[in-house]
Amino acid sequence: MNREMIVCDNVSKTFETSRGNVDVIGNVSLTVHENELLVLFGPGQCGKSTLLNCMSGLETVTSGSVTINGKVIDSPGPDRGVVYQRTALFPWLTVMGNVEYGPKVRGMSKSERREKAQYYINLVGLEGFEDSYPNQLSGGMQQRVGIARAYCNEPDVLFMDEPFGHLDAQTRYLMQEDLIRIWEKEKRTVVFVTNNIEEAIYLADRIAVLTNCPTSVKTEYGISLGRPRNYVDPEFLRLREEISSVVDKAL
Ligand SMILES: Nc1ncnc2c1ncn2[C@@H]1O[C@H](COP(=O)(O)OP(=O)(O)OP(=O)(O)O)[C@@H](O)[C@H]1O
Ligand SMILES: [Mg+2]
């Protein structure tokens, strides 16, 4: 196994609201290894996004700590890429403009960043759409732009929060296949949130099953099936049964 990259050590998170304190993360200890694809799988509203945001630095933890490569995470940074369910692309920028945005603001020369952006645009299958605007693209294509944009910053870690959650089933399968293809070509440490069991088993090296809120890690499964995976493979179906039986019902 590769070296430890992200370490959540006894992480808890309580939101203070006008209606009192809300404990969202109970006590999470979790390690993600370099180039691992870890899936956080749990019921709706269990605290998946909050945990992911604590790992990416968008939220601060109430107690415990998150470290990446030994450095304590308490704010966002360019070494961490994020892709959300609805990726906020800049509507006034083209596909190229969106993908090259990160390197541009960091001062990379035009020729260098164009070359890099083109590489990632091609990687996600959007060659020929460089000059299109986001509203001219389908939902799946917009998520591809989001993935290319995140990759173009060359982050150490990619955090993905149900990135395919609002896509139709067919597009979702295609995106899952493509994500694996991209990740196998350009290995990164990925933390991927989903509440879809098939998606979890299709993608993951390891699945951390989360409990209902305040969430903690109920159990972990290493998934050793070869890739590309087959949704109707007997072992796939067996894992699906097994993991479905341990996950809490959504509240
Ligand atoms: N900023 C906040 N202030 C107060 N409560 C919050 C805040 N953010 C999240 N929560 C609460 O924490 C709980 C978990 O939310 P979170 O979005 O992390 O769960 P989730 O598992 O990602 O949900 P979903 O399945 O809808 O994506 C919810 O009850 C939510 O209301
Ligand atoms: Mg969420």
Side-chain angles (χ1 to χ4, degrees):
M1 190 158 313
N2 288 347
R3 70 188 174 89
E4 294 184 354
M5 184 141 189
I6 311 174
V7 179
C8 297
D9 183 20
N10 284 306
V11 168
S12 78
K13 176 70 180 177
T14 301
F15 288 107
E16 290 173 13
T17 73
S18 53
R19 289 167 56 219
N21 288 350
V22 186
D23 296 329
V24 176
I25 302 177
N27 189 338
V28 168
S29 290
L30 185 67
T31 301
V32 192
H33 299 86
E34 188 174 24
N35 294 341
E36 184 176 31
L37 202 167
L38 178 90
V39 168
L40 298 175
F41 172 67
Q45 290 287 297
C46 75
K48 301 180 294 297
S49 296
T50 303
L51 178 58
L52 196 78
N53 291 343
C54 286
M55 293 167 88
S56 72
L58 283 169
E59 292 279 7
T60 54
V61 302
T62 303
S63 67
S65 65
V66 176
T67 57
I68 298 184
N69 293 327
K71 185 173 142 280
V72 174
I73 299 302
D74 53 11
S75 58
D79 55 327
R80 281 151 277 149
V82 289
V83 182
Y84 299 108
Q85 185 163 9
R86 292 196 181 274
T87 291
L89 299 174
F90 301 118
W92 61 89
L93 293 179
T94 61
V95 168
M96 175 58 81
N98 271 280
V99 176
E100 70 170 2
Y101 185 83
K104 185 177 177 180
V105 296
R106 281 185 283 109
M108 189 180 283
S109 74
K110 186 165 177 175
S111 60
E112 207 183 336
R113 70 180 192 249
R114 283 275 149 108
E115 191 181 333
K116 194 183 288 291
Q118 190 67 57
Y119 173 78
Y120 290 110
I121 289 170
N122 295 355
L123 187 67
V124 299
L126 286 181
E127 198 172 357
F129 291 92
E130 294 79 3
D131 298 327
S132 300
Y133 286 88
N135 68 2
Q136 298 173 311
L137 305 176
S138 69
M141 290 162 91
Q142 291 183 23
Q143 289 306 78
R144 289 175 194 272
V145 179
I147 293 169
R149 184 176 63 178
Y151 257 103
C152 200
N153 283 312
E154 307 200 316
D156 295 333
V157 191
L158 279 167
F159 293 99
M160 299 193 170
D161 193 352
E162 305 202 45
F164 311 144
H166 76 281
L167 302 175
D168 63 84
Q170 204 53 42
T171 307
R172 189 170 186 159
Y173 288 133
L174 280 175
M175 295 296 289
Q176 291 166 3
E177 254 176 64
D178 265 19
L179 178 64
I180 292 300
R181 178 184 57 77
I182 293 163
W183 173 76
E184 286 190 319
K185 184 128 196 275
E186 286 284 336
K187 275 283 169 83
R188 290 288 187 288
T189 308
V190 176
V191 184
F192 188 106
V193 165
T194 185
N195 63 9
N196 179 298
I197 181 69
E198 285 193 322
E199 183 166 82
I201 299 169
Y202 186 83
L203 297 176
D205 285 326
R206 192 155 50 93
I207 300 175
V209 178
L210 302 177
T211 67
N212 268 327
C213 208
T215 203
S216 60
V217 179
K218 187 163 197 174
T219 178
E220 294 185 17
Y221 290 92
I223 309 293
S224 52
L225 292 168
R227 291 187 172 100
R229 293 178 181 162
N230 180 346
Y231 297 95
V232 292
D233 183 277
E235 178 60 8
F236 193 107
L237 296 171
R238 193 195 63 73
L239 280 164
R240 190 187 145 140
E241 269 307 296
E242 182 175 345
I243 300 172
S244 302
S245 72
V246 302
V247 69
D248 293 349
K249 300 275 174 286
L251 293 174

